[in-house]
Amino acid sequence: MQGLEQRPAISPTQLFMLAFGLIVGVGFLIMPRGAMEKAREDAWLTVILAGLCAILSLWLITRVARMFPHDTVFDYNTKLFGSIIGSLFNILWGLYFLFFTVTGIRVMAEVVRDEMLPFTPVEAIIGAMLLVIIYPAWNGLMPIIRMFESGLPFTLLLIVMFFLLAYLHADWAELRIPFQEGVTPIISALPQTIYSYLGFEVLFLYYPFVTHKDKAFASTSFAIVAVGLFYAFLVLGTLVTLGPDVTMSQTFPVVTMAKTIEVVRQFVERAELLLIILWLPLAYTTHLGFFFSSAFSFHRTYPRLKLRWWMVILLPLVFILSLIPDNFIDMQTWSDKVGLVGLFLTIPYPLIMLVCIAVRRRLGHFPPPRKDGDVT
Amino acid sequence: MTKRRRNWFAAVTVILLIGLLLAGCWDYRELEKRAVIVGIGVDELPPLTEKGKQLRMYQILVQVVEPAGAGGNLGSSGGTEATSRKAYTNIVVTSPSFANAIERTVALSDRIPNMAHLQLIGVGETMAKNGINELYDFLTRLPQMRRHTEIVVLDGPISRFFTTQSISQPTPALHISEMAANVQQTLVMPDSNLGEVSKSVRGKMPFILIKASLDDSNKISMRHAAVFTDQKMVGTLTTDEMQLLSLLRNEIERGLLSFPCSAGKRTSFQILGGRSKLEPVMKNGRPHLTFELFLETELIEYQCLGASFDKQEQIRKAERLYGAELKKRLITTANKLKDKYKVDVFRLTTRLKNYPDLYKAIRNDPKTFIEQMVVDVNVKLRIRTIGSSLETPSLQEKP
Amino acid sequence: MKFNLFWRKSVDRSKRFLLRETQAVNTIEKTPLHASLVKNAEVLTERLGRNSDFAACHFTCMNRNVSLFFLYSLADSDRLNRQVIVPLQQRAGMFPTAVETSLAEDEEKSLIVFIQENIISASDILRVEDWQAAIEQILHGKALLLVEGESVGLAVGVKKEYSRNIEQPETEQSVIGPKDSFVETLNTNIGLVRQRLRDPYLRVESVVVGKRTKQETAIMYLADVANPQIVEEVRRRLSCIETDSLIGQMQLLEYLEDNSFSLFPLMRPTERPDVTCSYLIEGNVAVMVEGTSHALILPITFFQMLETVDDYYTSWQYATLIRIVRMVALFLSITTPGLYLSLVAYNPELIPTRLLISMDAARVKVAFPFLLEIFVMELMIEILREAGVKLPKPVGQAVSIIGGLVIGEAAVNANLVSPVTVVIVALTAISSFTSPVYYLGITHRILRFFLLICSSLLGTYGFILGLLFIHAHVARLVSFGVPYLAPLSPLRLRDWTDMLIRIPMKKLHTRPAFLKTRKPKKGENTPMMRPDKRNT
């Protein structure tokens, strides 16, 4: 197997779509429940606040990545931390992406099996999805980026229009003036909600391929802002259509919100099937991006094995791992752990790297810092 | 890549794809093999004692569409046989568990049940009085359920309801559900579907369902509403009470308000729209709730003679008169309901969210709150249209 | 912006192309001609003499033997007489003038040169010095003139061109626009293009392809606009083609494509000179082969295949709306059977209740399962279509009406299929006729079956996965360095003005950005007179 295409090039619009598609995946079906457990009616504020935290972490990541404009994180992990700890971190990255894919695929398969295909075994659902994942990933990063860029805007438009239909049955009295119970509930719901924003840390991996590096931070933060608005729209929707009590008692609150949609009587009976149909491309993009990032990170850590070999190895691994948990609740514990690792990788990890860079710079290993106007 | 390696990969891929093709179609089901359930009627039988515990026994009537009878005038020359076939089948099962009952319908029909087109859930009165929490759990757990299925309390034997004939609808269940939908839109009846029930149950609030009854000639009428607290039916409301309650609850849709004008004659106003705002205030430890009601109406009928509405003062006089009348009625009804049921039938729990102390009071101790509540109503009635005639026939032309 | 950044081809594929050498199309050896006429005649008779249309003329000129060899079927005997034989015989043979005689006696100049320059009055004369060129020229239709004592021959062009009249295009009909189309002769086609595009920078290069057919392939492009990398790549790929013959433009398409496993055509074939001209002005490159009546436009993107000619001959509002209708129709033509199957068999909840009851009633009498029903109906449509192509025109219409209406109606009445299936299949077939490019229509027909299989396996989920698979496939395609999904990805909103909608032509100022042309704005000219190093 030969190598893949020549060097991929990601334009700022494509970076925006990439970040958006990676972040908006499987989590948003369950997110209102987690947010409303602690914050009740102010959950939409939590969501927006979590978005701001994500932008902050993105800023840290960009600062680190700017120091090494031509290296992916795997190259400068070893440079900064030495070869042992560096490769440990690299393997952590790879496993994190792998398990993110595993949990995502399993949750998606559960939702599909619940609502659409009750009698199909989960293996078939996961297997079919994996086949469709490996097909574009086989040719490298560029087909993935093109898929994101061409498929996402239209899907997003359709989903937003679909959810607007749910707002027709909204009871706006459920809203409440914010901060009535203080700021504490909002802050306490924050960690759960930040899990839903994970995905922008791939900027670590793909920063060298971005064409206009000075616009990288701007476009990715626009993506996070868009994601934040979308999530707030969803949480607000569940709040006004279902109310906080019902939301907390459902497994998939967003799907339940879709169940309340009735435009014309007896026209479309189960509108949540339409939701799942529209949501499948969003979940697919997340799985595709993370699977490729996982193979990419393992390939960069051990370059002797080509990227396509890594994909062939990781695909059955994803299949086997995703079938291990017994049911959906078991899978939730897995995704909580993955979320913790993600939190670590987005907030403390860039801080550690910045500290390490400062230390090494003082020791004279690195060139003096660039000024802000420098574009690589 | 060497040729051998390429061949090996090709073989593996082909085997995988063939595997996918040979398996599959687990969910494929022909349309005629699906039993489309359009209505469920549940009533309670005397309980069964088993191992010392009492099990509630339910009699469940499942209405399944028979396509040959329902759509038999399509596509073929079977026009003459269509009218002699029934468009539905009623299957009656007795069981303490709902899931068990639905499963047993498989043994009684030749098709697999599919609940996704369920339009009507009919609850018998006995069962309503004893509580519907088991039914509720079954219904909300099933992923196939939608949240706008109508739930109606059926006053009478259930099988009679599910065999009424209808001209426009193929099955009785569809007929009843269409009636319920229409009634919800026109007669200021409450939204009585599964979503509302679910919201109220989770929020620990009472809910109101439409109550249907049969008269002697097997015609269904929906002129009452049933009040449920803690998932048990505790009382019935008439249409007038329900209407006034909806006005207070800010669920104002089209409806008719009728007042006496003089000497036993009536005048009627059709509600075009309006809103009802709540002004709650905590005074002396007792909540004082003032409902500010603003109604836009249309004059439909004025039976008194000698009245003309061509001047603004006359309209204003009518507005004031009937507004005061409405206010009296509202306060009377509110107090009556408050004292009778002692639960929050006014949907205050969600509307008080922006008044934290009142909200806490009603959340912690709803009974005391309702008992101590003082209700006041301010009505602003506006007559927007008077119709096509400016005046009624004069007094001299009394028949 | 550097061109290199966007040259996305897979490394192994370009390596495969690079490793190929320029193919030799000639199988005859390159030995020089003999000086003796008799010997030359012998060799020629041995090679070509057994053909019944091989002719040889012998006469004398200036007291030397001169022979003329040609193929009857290819040479235009009238011109041959007029331009070659008569002048030779009269002026140099029988009635030489004094001037000519003296010139002929000049030892410096050989007779051949003399004949070439003074006697023969044809415009297309080539000196031939070896057997390869000699036989090739005879097979091209030229007449070979050999003189005793000279080891150089002359090939005189008196070719008879068999060419069709210019008729209406078959696949790209235009209601309102011009109605001429290409023919099978290369010269005529080039002429048709040149008549429309009278620019000095329109360059026509020629590459000979095909070992046995030796077809001439023309590469046409605007030298100051087209991306030189693309032109170079086309040239290289053409010269690497290793084949006996190029039978049609599909074969050429396959050879020139980046990825011939794809169902989607990566170059657009067109029969119309006006379409070719507009693409050339945009900066594309056109390739034409002798013997086919289509020109191949490259590089092409998916959305350019959805344009018809009439979009530019009608008002822009109508063109925009019709483009949207066309895209919807093409989408429906792929998805309708699969969607129908997945809705009815897997998720009947998405169908309105009353419709479901009527469909159920109609289906109760039908004995076949859904999948079989739809498959058989689709197959019937394909058979009807295939049969309809071969029928003569007067019979074709009647048969299609009979096939469609009567058989469909009879099948419904016999309870073999349900009426809804007939409607669905008919809708699909009609939608697929809106495809502007013939090859794309074929692609849609195949994809329809693929989606049908996907949705029969896993229902609506399988249907969505099938759509994603097709999307992934299209996202992978690259046509001569241009991603197939441009301008949707990479996103260039400026290009949408011509691809997805159509704004008034007054405002169409720019060329498509993904072609990386040398002149992104239209309306600029490069003056030709200044020595310009960019024009290679």
Side-chain angles (χ1 to χ4, degrees):
Chain A
M1 282 185 275
Q2 294 288 333
L4 300 162
E5 300 185 354
Q6 295 179 5
R7 203 176 169 77
I10 310 179
S11 74
T13 323
Q14 287 171 335
L15 190 61
F16 173 85
M17 291 295 173
L18 180 69
F20 191 93
L22 280 175
I23 298 177
V24 174
V26 181
F28 77 88
L29 288 186
I30 312 169
M31 178 206 33
R33 171 159 49 113
M36 279 199 200
E37 253 161 29
K38 306 233 175 72
R40 286 194 64 112
E41 279 91 353
D42 297 332
W44 55 281
L45 276 177
T46 315
V47 164
I48 295 184
L49 206 57
L52 291 173
C53 289
I55 294 187
L56 182 67
S57 137
L58 176 75
W59 183 76
L60 288 173
I61 294 181
T62 325
R63 280 217 79 89
V64 171
R66 266 180 18 169
M67 310 285 173
F68 305 94
H70 297 291
D71 293 331
T72 61
V73 71
F74 311 108
D75 307 321
Y76 51 83
N77 256 339
T78 43
K79 275 193 216 164
L80 284 180
F81 299 117
S83 56
I84 304 179
I85 306 187
S87 34
L88 276 179
F89 270 129
N90 286 348
I91 299 182
L92 182 70
W93 275 107
L95 287 176
Y96 162 68
F97 285 132
L98 185 71
F99 277 94
F100 206 107
T101 318
V102 165
T103 54
I105 289 190
R106 179 62 193 259
V107 170
M108 177 209 75
E110 291 285 338
V111 174
V112 166
R113 196 192 34 183
D114 247 354
E115 303 282 342
M116 281 173 61
L117 300 169
F119 293 104
T120 314
V122 181
E123 292 91 353
I125 302 180
I126 296 182
M129 172 62 87
L130 285 178
L131 277 178
V132 188
I133 282 183
I134 197 164
Y135 184 63
W138 199 246
N139 258 21
L141 187 59
M142 282 323 293
I144 296 179
I145 303 257
R146 280 180 227 145
M147 279 195 78
F148 274 58
E149 196 182 355
S150 45
L152 275 178
F154 187 60
T155 316
L156 192 66
L157 189 69
L158 285 180
I159 271 200
V160 167
M161 284 195 336
F162 179 80
F163 280 122
L164 281 176
L165 287 177
Y167 273 74
L168 290 176
H169 298 280
D171 175 20
W172 291 98
E174 295 272 4
L175 276 184
R176 188 174 71 177
I177 300 175
F179 299 116
Q180 283 209 353
E181 290 186 10
V183 194
T184 331
I186 299 180
I187 307 263
S188 64
L190 209 54
Q192 280 260 339
T193 327
I194 295 194
Y195 290 170
S196 319
Y197 280 92
L198 287 176
F200 54 89
E201 61 268 11
V202 293
L203 196 59
F204 263 139
L205 272 73
Y206 301 129
Y207 191 74
F209 306 126
V210 179
T211 47
H212 297 271
K213 294 197 173 38
D214 48 339
K215 296 202 191 131
F217 175 67
S219 45
T220 322
S221 51
F222 274 140
I224 296 184
V225 164
V227 172
L229 287 174
F230 180 64
Y231 282 169
F233 172 73
L234 278 182
V235 169
L236 204 66
T238 54
L239 185 62
V240 296
T241 49
L242 301 174
D245 307 300
V246 179
T247 315
M248 288 198 292
S249 65
Q250 305 286 318
T251 18
F252 300 113
V254 177
V255 177
T256 312
M257 175 164 100
K259 284 196 213 252
T260 64
I261 292 180
E262 184 191 51
V263 182
V264 176
R265 217 181 126 69
Q266 289 182 3
F267 186 63
V268 166
E269 287 294 333
R270 282 182 71 190
E272 75 262 16
L273 287 178
L274 284 182
L275 168 69
I276 295 185
I277 289 176
L278 288 174
W279 161 75
L280 270 175
L282 285 177
Y284 168 76
T285 51
T286 311
H287 301 152
L288 179 64
F290 276 107
F291 175 73
F292 181 79
S293 308
S294 167
F296 185 77
S297 36
F298 279 119
H299 168 63
R300 285 290 171 133
T301 321
Y302 300 108
R304 301 200 57 168
L305 212 52
K306 304 222 168 64
L307 187 58
R308 283 183 177 173
W309 273 111
W310 274 112
M311 283 199 252
V312 168
I313 292 176
L314 287 176
L315 200 71
L317 203 61
V318 169
F319 185 72
I320 295 172
L321 284 175
S322 63
L323 290 173
I324 291 182
D326 289 324
N327 54 29
F328 177 69
I329 309 295
D330 207 0
M331 181 50 90
Q332 288 239 284
T333 49
W334 280 40
S335 46
D336 286 338
K337 293 198 190 97
V338 171
L340 273 174
V341 174
L343 270 184
F344 166 71
L345 283 175
T346 48
I347 303 183
Y349 178 73
L351 279 174
I352 299 178
M353 291 182 100
L354 280 174
V355 163
C356 211
I357 291 177
V359 161
R360 289 215 180 224
R361 193 172 285 146
R362 205 149 295 171
L363 291 177
H365 291 178
F366 286 155
R370 301 163 178 274
K371 292 187 271 295
D372 258 336
D374 275 354
V375 171
T376 51
Chain B
M1 197 191 322
T2 60
K3 200 153 189 245
R4 216 165 36 137
R5 221 186 273 172
R6 212 184 318 157
N7 286 342
W8 184 72
F9 273 121
V12 166
T13 319
V14 167
I15 290 176
L16 279 177
L17 285 176
I18 288 182
L20 196 64
L21 281 174
L22 285 178
C25 311
W26 291 274
D27 266 292
Y28 181 92
R29 200 157 287 148
E30 294 291 323
L31 197 55
E32 52 265 25
K33 296 270 185 331
R34 286 190 201 252
V36 178
I37 299 180
V38 284
I40 291 186
V42 186
D43 204 1
E44 187 154 353
L45 301 174
L48 190 70
T49 320
E50 197 177 282
K51 295 187 196 140
K53 295 198 201 124
Q54 286 212 335
L55 282 175
R56 293 176 66 177
M57 283 301 286
Y58 301 106
Q59 183 185 50
I60 298 154
L61 183 141
V62 169
Q63 186 159 88
V64 171
V65 176
E66 289 289 336
N73 51 351
L74 253 205
S76 65
S77 50
T80 44
E81 324 142 20
T83 45
S84 62
R85 288 210 209 146
K86 239 178 27 166
Y88 59 91
T89 314
N90 285 344
I91 303 175
V92 181
V93 182
T94 313
S95 154
S97 135
F98 293 100
N100 194 14
I102 302 287
E103 271 308 300
R104 274 162 55 180
T105 58
V106 179
L108 293 166
S109 81
D110 52 350
R111 291 169 285 173
I112 315 262
N114 184 345
M115 302 259 286
H117 285 275
L118 191 65
Q119 302 289 342
L120 177 73
I121 302 169
V123 178
E125 253 200 291
T126 339
M127 181 174 168
K129 289 205 181 100
N130 288 346
I132 62 168
N133 41 339
E134 280 120 7
L135 180 67
Y136 169 77
D137 182 78
F138 170 69
L139 289 175
T140 47
R141 200 173 284 276
L142 200 63
Q144 282 179 354
M145 286 304 300
R146 300 121 48 244
R147 295 176 81 85
H148 41 256
T149 314
E150 317 285 344
I151 295 190
V152 172
V153 176
L154 300 177
D155 184 13
I158 301 214
S159 44
R160 270 177 66 199
F161 276 95
F162 278 88
T163 45
T164 49
Q165 285 291 15
S166 144
I167 308 171
S168 59
Q169 300 283 337
T171 60
L174 288 172
H175 172 64
I176 299 179
S177 67
E178 282 292 328
M179 269 187 74
N182 287 338
V183 150
Q184 279 172 26
Q185 280 175 353
T186 55
L187 269 191
V188 206
M189 277 286 187
D191 261 347
S192 138
N193 55 33
L194 191 57
E196 287 296 322
V197 171
S198 172
K199 249 205 261 189
S200 313
V201 166
R202 295 282 178 202
K204 301 188 191 38
M205 293 187 295
F207 53 93
I208 305 179
L209 295 181
I210 296 178
K211 193 160 151 183
S213 43
L214 275 178
D215 59 7
D216 295 324
S217 54
N218 256 7
K219 287 255 168 27
I220 302 177
S221 72
M222 294 182 174
R223 308 214 31 99
H224 296 270
V227 180
F228 279 74
T229 316
D230 277 340
Q231 308 178 43
K232 291 201 185 92
M233 184 165 103
V234 290
T236 313
L237 299 171
T238 58
T239 318
D240 300 320
E241 290 172 342
M242 193 57 233
Q243 213 174 53
L244 296 169
L245 188 62
S246 301
L247 289 178
L248 289 178
R249 275 160 69 137
N250 199 15
E251 286 169 5
I252 300 176
E253 298 180 49
R254 294 175 70 90
L256 210 68
L257 289 174
S258 178
F259 302 104
C261 62
S262 72
K265 309 275 193 218
R266 319 268 318 161
T267 167
S268 307
F269 294 92
Q270 174 149 340
I271 302 175
L272 294 175
R275 52 181 181 275
S276 140
K277 279 207 279 228
L278 195 56
E279 306 275 340
V281 140
M282 196 73 141
K283 250 195 268 184
N284 311 327
R286 298 186 69 170
H288 285 248
L289 293 165
T290 314
F291 289 92
E292 302 278 339
L293 185 64
F294 175 72
L295 275 181
E296 303 195 338
T297 58
E298 177 187 357
L299 180 63
I300 292 255
E301 186 185 29
Y302 200 81
Q303 287 180 345
C304 300
L305 297 172
S308 77
F309 289 101
D310 52 350
K311 292 203 182 34
Q312 181 68 335
E313 305 88 63
Q314 289 160 334
I315 298 185
R316 285 264 181 262
K317 199 173 88 163
E319 285 174 1
R320 274 198 300 271
L321 189 62
Y322 298 119
E325 173 76 33
L326 187 61
K327 170 174 169 162
K328 250 192 318 190
R329 277 194 203 172
L330 279 169
I331 296 184
T332 327
T333 317
N335 287 327
K336 189 170 80 166
L337 290 175
K338 183 179 76 132
D339 295 325
K340 183 171 171 198
Y341 292 114
K342 298 192 182 43
V343 284
D344 176 26
V345 289
F346 308 102
R347 233 351 124 64
L348 293 171
T349 322
T350 41
R351 290 161 78 185
L352 284 179
K353 274 191 185 169
N354 286 325
Y355 306 93
D357 34 354
L358 285 156
Y359 186 59
K360 271 203 208 57
I362 198 171
R363 269 273 167 206
N364 294 336
D365 194 1
K367 220 156 131 83
T368 338
F369 187 91
I370 299 287
E371 272 172 11
Q372 291 180 347
M373 182 171 85
V374 172
V375 174
D376 190 18
V377 180
N378 289 337
V379 175
K380 254 197 267 192
L381 189 74
R382 291 273 172 270
I383 303 178
R384 293 289 179 207
T385 345
I386 52 175
S388 301
S389 46
L390 280 177
E391 48 183 56
T392 54
S394 64
L395 279 165
Q396 277 81 29
E397 293 163 20
K398 217 186 326 190
Chain C
M1 211 182 299
K2 298 208 198 85
F3 290 150
N4 292 329
L5 264 185
F6 294 88
W7 193 255
R8 302 161 212 244
K9 259 188 339 161
S10 55
V11 173
D12 63 340
R13 220 157 258 128
S14 65
K15 265 197 190 158
R16 216 191 301 152
F17 273 117
L18 282 170
L19 285 176
R20 281 201 208 156
E21 298 149 358
T22 309
Q23 293 295 322
V25 289
N26 283 306
T27 44
I28 317 171
E29 68 284 355
K30 259 191 162 182
T31 50
L33 298 169
H34 299 271
S36 137
L37 186 60
V38 173
K39 264 210 178 145
N40 285 341
E42 256 177 36
V43 174
L44 268 176
T45 333
E46 184 190 310
R47 287 265 166 86
L48 294 171
R50 306 198 76 165
N51 297 319
S52 59
D53 51 345
F54 182 71
C57 283
H58 307 281
F59 34 84
T60 342
C61 168
M62 304 289 177
N63 298 326
R64 284 167 62 184
N65 286 332
V66 170
S67 297
L68 199 60
F69 302 99
F70 57 95
L71 287 172
Y72 266 138
S73 47
L74 285 178
D76 189 354
S77 44
D78 181 42
R79 280 166 64 194
L80 193 63
N81 278 341
R82 239 179 331 119
Q83 291 169 356
V84 179
I85 298 184
V86 165
L88 270 181
Q89 285 181 331
Q90 288 187 340
R91 293 164 63 193
M94 294 180 347
F95 309 111
T97 62
V99 176
E100 282 151 347
T101 325
S102 62
L103 277 171
E105 312 252 303
D106 197 348
E107 289 299 321
E108 316 256 320
K109 268 200 197 169
S110 66
L111 184 58
I112 279 286
V113 176
F114 176 65
I115 294 178
Q116 178 182 359
E117 290 174 358
N118 295 28
I119 308 285
I120 298 185
S121 56
S123 53
D124 184 11
I125 308 183
L126 207 66
R127 278 172 73 95
V128 181
E129 297 184 359
D130 53 72
W131 281 114
Q132 185 185 67
I135 298 193
E136 206 179 278
Q137 295 300 318
I138 293 186
L139 287 170
H140 267 270
K142 302 201 174 146
L144 186 68
L145 189 78
L146 289 175
V147 179
E148 170 72 48
E150 306 269 357
S151 61
V152 172
L154 278 184
V156 185
V158 287
K159 197 159 81 151
K160 180 164 46 174
E161 290 228 325
Y162 296 103
S163 99
R164 194 166 45 104
N165 280 336
I166 296 180
E167 290 164 357
Q168 285 208 15
E170 283 276 332
T171 51
E172 288 166 84
Q173 311 272 7
S174 159
V175 175
I176 266 190
K179 293 182 177 48
D180 51 351
S181 88
F182 286 137
V183 293
E184 283 80 12
T185 328
L186 190 61
N187 271 337
T188 323
N189 294 344
I190 297 179
L192 281 172
V193 175
R194 275 217 189 265
Q195 254 184 346
R196 290 189 142 87
L197 199 58
R198 296 193 176 104
D199 195 72
Y201 283 104
L202 175 65
R203 201 151 297 170
V204 177
E205 294 179 6
S206 153
V207 176
V208 176
V209 171
K211 285 204 188 101
R212 290 201 184 258
T213 53
K214 298 196 185 45
Q215 283 160 305
E216 196 180 318
T217 322
I219 310 175
M220 290 194 286
Y221 59 97
L222 276 180
D224 62 339
V225 169
N227 189 346
Q229 273 187 321
I230 299 182
V231 178
E232 177 57 42
E233 182 65 23
V234 174
R235 220 179 278 139
R236 187 168 61 79
R237 287 193 199 182
L238 271 178
S239 40
C240 294
I241 294 181
E242 182 178 337
T243 176
D244 273 347
S245 74
L246 271 183
I247 294 193
Q249 71 268 15
M250 195 62 215
Q251 201 178 0
L252 184 62
L253 226 157
E254 278 183 20
Y255 276 113
L256 288 181
E257 263 181 349
D258 289 82
N259 177 5
S260 49
F261 276 113
S262 163
L263 282 171
F264 288 86
L266 288 172
M267 292 182 264
R268 183 189 165 133
T270 173
E271 267 185 321
R272 302 179 58 108
D274 46 352
V275 168
T276 317
C277 282
S278 43
Y279 273 118
L280 285 176
I281 295 179
E282 300 259 304
N284 294 42
V285 173
V287 175
M288 291 203 295
V289 172
E290 199 174 334
T292 69
S293 61
H294 284 253
L296 291 173
I297 311 277
L298 51 99
I300 209 81
T301 62
F302 181 71
F303 293 100
Q304 280 181 319
M305 297 258 223
L306 300 179
E307 302 174 336
T308 49
V309 162
D310 269 337
D311 284 347
Y312 295 95
Y313 295 130
T314 48
S315 63
W316 64 273
Q317 298 99 332
Y318 177 74
T320 307
L321 293 172
I322 277 291
R323 265 191 196 171
I324 296 174
V325 168
R326 196 180 308 134
M327 282 196 260
V328 167
L330 287 177
F331 182 71
L332 279 182
S333 81
I334 300 183
T335 59
T336 315
L339 198 60
Y340 171 66
L341 180 70
S342 62
L343 280 187
V344 165
Y346 282 86
N347 290 119
E349 298 96 40
L350 286 173
I351 306 178
T353 316
R354 301 299 304 277
L355 182 62
L356 189 66
I357 296 179
S358 355
M359 273 168 63
D360 209 352
R363 271 208 62 82
V364 162
K365 305 188 183 81
V366 175
F368 300 116
F370 268 126
L371 182 55
L372 201 59
E373 212 183 313
I374 296 188
F375 237 90
V376 167
M377 285 299 292
E378 288 285 341
L379 208 57
M380 284 303 304
I381 291 275
E382 295 296 325
I383 293 176
L384 269 173
R385 203 194 288 230
E386 185 65 25
V389 167
K390 305 205 174 30
L391 289 171
K393 278 203 171 44
V395 188
Q397 286 204 353
V399 169
S400 62
I401 293 179
I402 293 177
L405 288 180
V406 175
I407 296 183
E409 183 74 18
V412 166
N413 280 336
N415 292 331
L416 288 174
V417 293
S418 75
V420 184
T421 314
V422 173
V423 170
I424 296 278
V425 166
L427 175 71
T428 317
I430 293 177
S431 311
S432 70
F433 288 131
T434 59
S435 154
V437 174
Y438 184 69
Y439 293 124
L440 205 61
I442 297 178
T443 308
H444 281 268
R445 280 152 71 180
I446 300 178
L447 285 178
R448 193 187 307 159
F449 280 99
F450 170 68
L451 276 181
L452 191 59
I453 295 177
C454 279
S455 61
S456 74
L457 284 178
L458 282 170
T460 327
Y461 176 70
F463 179 73
I464 299 287
L465 283 188
L467 277 182
L468 285 173
F469 195 86
I470 297 175
H471 187 200
H473 176 74
V474 175
R476 274 167 41 133
L477 291 175
V478 171
S479 160
F480 277 91
V482 173
Y484 203 60
L485 278 178
L488 198 54
S489 123
L491 194 68
R492 303 257 185 269
L493 283 175
R494 211 179 46 193
D495 290 337
W496 282 25
T497 53
D498 204 13
M499 306 263 166
L500 285 142
I501 61 176
R502 211 209 89 194
I503 64 178
M505 303 224 225
K506 285 193 287 198
K507 310 258 197 276
L508 285 175
H509 290 310
T510 54
R511 297 200 160 91
F514 50 81
L515 287 176
K516 302 281 169 300
T517 50
R518 279 167 158 181
K519 288 200 180 9
K521 272 212 175 56
K522 290 190 187 170
E524 292 175 4
N525 271 331
T526 322
M528 200 162 206
M529 287 304 119
R530 258 190 283 137
D532 213 339
K533 292 205 176 48
R534 286 178 304 157
N535 288 342
T536 44

